[in-house]
Amino acid sequence: MHFVKGIYLCKMKKQAAFYYILVFTILFSCKPGVDKHLEEAKKALDTQKFKLAEQKSSEAIKIDPNNASALNLRGIAFLNQNELQNAIADFEHSIAVDSTNYKAFYNLGLAYIQNRNFDLAIKAFKNAIELNNSESDLYNNIGIAYYELNQQDSAIVNFSKAINLNPNSELAYINRAKIYRASSNWQAAIEDYNQGIKINPNNVHSVFGLALSYFEVNKKDEGCKWLKKAKMSGHPEAEKELKARCQ
């Protein structure tokens, strides 16, 4: 499952994907006395210098221990270093200071997903949705939590909401396609993989998943065509499948 990572205050800026399939978005807060440290922490996050981001946000917290934005930002730095308990503590502290901003709830949900505590992730994401129900990534991520709890119908409902809010939500299409494949709903999987590939033709996992789905509906030519594309794009299993299915 593919999820989206991180939110920090004042300005919102989409960032490129970081490690594996995570997309990083940050919001940071403007407050006299901490702005310089927060700006430096933000720049460190932008360049994936997570330890430096932790240090700079900690300096802001020394000046203002209850700055919700600084706590949220440091939580993101901890999250990217897989220091999950520290991240959770900072997000919860940020929420205690300001429970009206959905961003710390959003990030808390991500930390719980990485900690594989999916019930608490759902609770955090629901709190975020109550504050902002227009963020498609929230629905994608809560869909993943439901999927991990084997609540497939709820997962599909939320992936579909993410797509309705953002028709270019590649991750939601791919995640929903995986559920359709698992339940042998091959045609629906094919449609979602095709939509995901239209958005991002370079996602080799979508190309490979589409190829295997075509074989299940007896469309061998299409399956082989997409397996060849998967092989050219470097999917590790594509050559083996080509030899088995297309010789």
Side-chain angles (χ1 to χ4, degrees):
M1 283 283 148
H2 301 338
F3 68 97
V4 182
K5 192 161 187 189
I7 310 186
Y8 61 110
L9 303 176
C10 225
K11 299 178 183 175
M12 185 175 195
K13 180 180 178 184
K14 293 266 182 181
Q15 304 295 337
F18 283 171
Y19 55 97
Y20 53 107
I21 37 121
L22 303 180
V23 177
F24 189 49
T25 334
I26 301 173
L27 310 131
F28 76 98
S29 146
C30 306
K31 178 171 179 174
V34 300
D35 292 2
K36 180 176 180 292
H37 295 306
L38 290 176
E39 183 61 33
E40 290 174 345
K42 174 185 175 291
K43 289 178 181 177
L45 287 171
D46 289 346
T47 54
Q48 305 183 43
K49 296 176 181 177
F50 302 123
K51 191 65 179 178
L52 179 61
E54 174 198 334
Q55 293 168 354
K56 294 299 179 180
S57 53
S58 292
E59 289 173 11
I61 292 166
K62 286 180 183 178
I63 298 170
D64 183 2
N66 288 317
N67 186 288
S69 305
L71 290 160
N72 184 52
L73 190 152
R74 188 174 68 176
I76 296 170
F78 281 134
L79 186 60
N80 278 278
Q81 296 176 85
N82 205 37
E83 295 184 32
L84 301 182
Q85 293 307 315
N86 286 335
I88 289 167
D90 272 355
F91 295 140
E92 288 181 339
H93 189 174
S94 179
I95 290 165
V97 174
D98 179 9
S99 63
T100 66
N101 196 307
Y102 82 98
K103 297 147 194 165
F105 283 113
Y106 178 111
N107 294 330
L108 179 61
L110 293 176
Y112 278 131
I113 278 187
Q114 284 195 213
N115 206 29
R116 301 195 64 78
N117 195 329
F118 302 113
D119 288 315
L120 288 180
I122 289 170
K123 181 179 179 181
F125 288 135
K126 283 184 174 180
N127 285 330
I129 288 169
E130 286 182 7
L131 296 167
N132 180 359
N133 63 6
S134 63
E135 176 63 64
S136 65
D137 291 341
L138 275 169
Y139 293 99
N140 178 68
N141 292 335
I142 198 171
I144 292 168
Y146 277 120
Y147 171 83
E148 294 290 349
L149 292 173
N150 294 316
Q151 298 182 35
Q152 314 294 28
D153 290 343
S154 294
I156 287 175
V157 165
N158 281 281
F159 292 141
S160 298
K161 286 181 180 178
I163 291 165
N164 288 337
L165 285 169
N166 178 13
N168 291 318
S169 181
E170 176 200 1
L171 300 185
Y173 278 115
I174 295 170
N175 288 336
R176 192 171 68 175
K178 288 181 178 180
I179 294 179
Y180 286 143
R181 275 186 64 196
S183 60
S184 300
N185 191 343
W186 305 112
Q187 192 56 49
I190 287 168
E191 290 173 6
D192 274 1
Y193 278 128
N194 271 313
Q195 287 296 326
I197 290 168
K198 284 180 183 178
I199 298 165
N200 179 12
N202 298 318
N203 190 320
V204 65
H205 300 290
S206 295
V207 172
F208 186 74
L210 178 61
L212 297 187
S213 298
Y214 272 125
F215 287 114
E216 296 295 338
V217 294
N218 298 315
K219 293 187 177 180
K220 181 178 177 180
D221 290 345
E222 284 293 307
C224 291
K225 179 182 80 172
W226 286 101
L227 274 180
K228 289 175 183 176
K229 290 184 179 181
K231 179 184 176 182
M232 290 176 62
S233 299
H235 193 282
E237 299 178 36
E239 184 171 4
K240 174 185 173 182
E241 292 293 335
L242 269 170
K243 290 179 179 179
R245 297 174 183 267
C246 301
Q247 295 300 323

